[in-house]
Amino acid sequence: QVQLVESGGGLVQAGGSLRLTCTAAGDFISINAMGWYRQAPGKQRELVASVTSGGRKNYADAVQGRFTISRDNAKNTVDLQMNSLKPEDTAVYYCNAAITRTWWQAESDYWGQGTQVTVSS
């Protein structure tokens, strides 16, 4: 069994900062890409940022320069540092990871339960 456990959401004023953390736990042999997605009410889930096992990072245009994704392969964690937050960043943020559980199984996508981020104006 594999779980992605998220923490760090909350309420913050515009211009403030929050840090999200996601930890992968359970039985698996490797993690490829890890990332953060978000879904605002009435909108589709969208990619916020991702990072490969080799450290290559990708950001959505809307967060470039404000958010920073980082990863600790030894701890199986991925963090999202969010600075200069705007009301339009308000959403449920989901952790995602591409995980291989055993050598005979293909890689699968796993999702966290989601954490609410609310930015007040």
Side-chain angles (χ1 to χ4, degrees), residues 5-85:
V5 181
E6 302 151 344
S7 62
L11 172 65
V12 66
Q13 288 189 331
S17 298
L18 283 174
R19 188 176 184 89
L20 306 181
T21 296
C22 172
T23 302
D27 296 324
F28 52 86
I29 59 173
S30 67
I31 305 176
N32 193 356
M34 300 185 81
W36 290 92
Y37 288 70
R38 67 186 181 187
Q39 187 167 20
K43 294 188 177 182
Q44 288 189 330
R45 190 173 297 189
E46 62 179 3
L47 174 68
V48 176
S50 65
V51 56
T52 67
S53 57
R56 187 173 67 215
K57 301 176 183 180
N58 181 48
Y59 295 94
D61 289 344
V63 307
Q64 184 78 41
R66 299 187 297 122
F67 291 10
T68 301
I69 192 168
S70 59
R71 175 173 177 165
D72 187 329
N73 290 331
K75 296 181 180 179
N76 297 322
T77 61
V78 60
D79 290 352
L80 185 68
Q81 177 65 43
M82 304 183 292
N83 298 329
S84 303
L85 282 160

